Amino acid sequence: MARRWAPSVIWGAVILILTSLPGSALPHGPDIPGVDKVVHGGLYGMLGFLAGRALTGERVTVWMRTAIVIAGLAAVDEWHQKWIPGRSADAFDWVADVAGATLGASLSRSAQLRRETRS
């Protein structure tokens, strides 16, 4: 079980490390409105995908609990950024996090179902 969850835990730690960096330490991307939401969605999308892989064969209730945990992690992550220089807490970033995680988990589940149908 720990082996199944290791990639999710490691990626979650990477997210927390990245969001703990001061704003001045981050690369400045293109000045396109909303591009940070894409980054948030991508980071949490990968977390959702990895969590979905760890949940192979689990019941829907386990999936729902995992989604709540990831949404909680994203909320705590946004909250803690209030105290990081050059960073801020943003509810829309949280929405992007949850949307990304949901999409990632959905893609993972879809891939599982395709594999099961082929077997």
Side-chain angles (χ1 to χ4, degrees), residues 59-92:
R59 287 181 266 140
V60 171
T61 54
V62 176
W63 278 80
M64 293 304 294
R65 280 188 235 136
T66 303
I68 290 167
V69 167
I70 291 174
L73 172 69
V76 168
D77 181 31
E78 284 304 315
W79 174 76
H80 106 278
Q81 288 182 60
K82 286 174 37 171
W83 291 278
I84 309 296
R87 304 297 290 265
S88 63
D90 182 353
F92 291 114

Side-chain angles (χ1 to χ4, degrees), residues 4-75:
R4 276 190 351 208
W5 283 98
S8 299
V9 171
I10 291 168
W11 189 252
V14 166
I15 290 173
L16 293 177
I17 289 168
L18 290 174
T19 59
S20 296
L21 295 173
S24 61
L26 299 172
H28 295 284
D31 195 19
I32 301 170
V35 75
D36 67 311
K37 307 306 182 251
V38 174
V39 172
H40 278 266
L43 289 170
Y44 276 87
M46 179 56 75
L47 181 61
F49 185 84
L50 293 171
R53 286 187 58 198
L55 290 169
T56 301
E58 296 291 344
R59 287 181 266 140
V60 171
T61 54
V62 176
W63 278 80
M64 293 304 294
R65 280 188 235 136
T66 303
I68 290 167
V69 167
I70 291 174
L73 172 69

